[in-house]
């Protein structure tokens, strides 16, 4: 349905957009979500950097970087679920964190399905 390159680009776009929103609105979302302002800012900036890496991985489609994207996405989903459970978030915060975790999981499943399309690097 979606090619691996397009799924990676969607991941980069979504990561970058969420990162910019979290960084720009860190003070605004603290109370309704229960996410500390500093954490929102740090995660937001990290997601912008992550988006750049995922965008780079989408350009080359080499198996190593694509596997790194998949691995980090799995860790991100697991961390998000743990944070939703143990992070002291508001109900809205739990919903926000779990919805974005499900979105990342969906992208990750599509990336795993598209992994065979990654191009091995030629030896030599």
């Amino acid at each position: 349905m979606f090619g691996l390159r397009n799924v990676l680009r969607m991941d980069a776009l979504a990561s970058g957009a969420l990162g910019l929103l979290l960084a720009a609105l860190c003070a605004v979302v603290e109370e309704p979500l229960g996410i500390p302002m500093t954490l929102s800012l740090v995660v937001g900036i990290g997601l912008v950097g992550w988006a750049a890496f995922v965008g780079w991985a989408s350009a080359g489609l080499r198996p190593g970087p694509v596997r790194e994207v998949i691995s980090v996405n799995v860790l991100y989903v697991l961390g998000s679920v743990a944070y939703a459970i143990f992070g002291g978030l508001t109900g809205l915060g739990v919903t926000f964190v779990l919805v974005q975790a499900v979105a990342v999981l969906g992208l990750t499943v599509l990336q795993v399905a598209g992994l065979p399309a990654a191009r091995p690097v030629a030896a030599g």
Side-chain angles (χ1 to χ4, degrees), residues 54-81:
V54 177
W56 172 80
S58 76
L61 288 184
R62 293 191 326 268
V66 173
R67 284 189 188 98
E68 288 177 33
V69 170
I70 292 167
S71 298
V72 172
N73 279 349
V74 168
L75 292 174
Y76 187 83
V77 169
L78 294 173
S80 294
V81 170

Side-chain angles (χ1 to χ4, degrees), residues 3-44:
L4 178 59
R5 185 180 315 275
N6 288 333
V7 173
L8 289 166
R9 287 177 179 166
M10 286 187 286
D11 190 348
L13 180 64
S15 296
L18 180 60
L20 289 173
L21 283 172
L22 283 174
L25 301 175
C26 60
V28 176
V29 300
E30 183 172 23
E31 187 176 325
L33 300 181
I35 301 174
M37 182 173 68
T38 304
L39 181 61
S40 290
L41 181 60
V42 170
V43 170

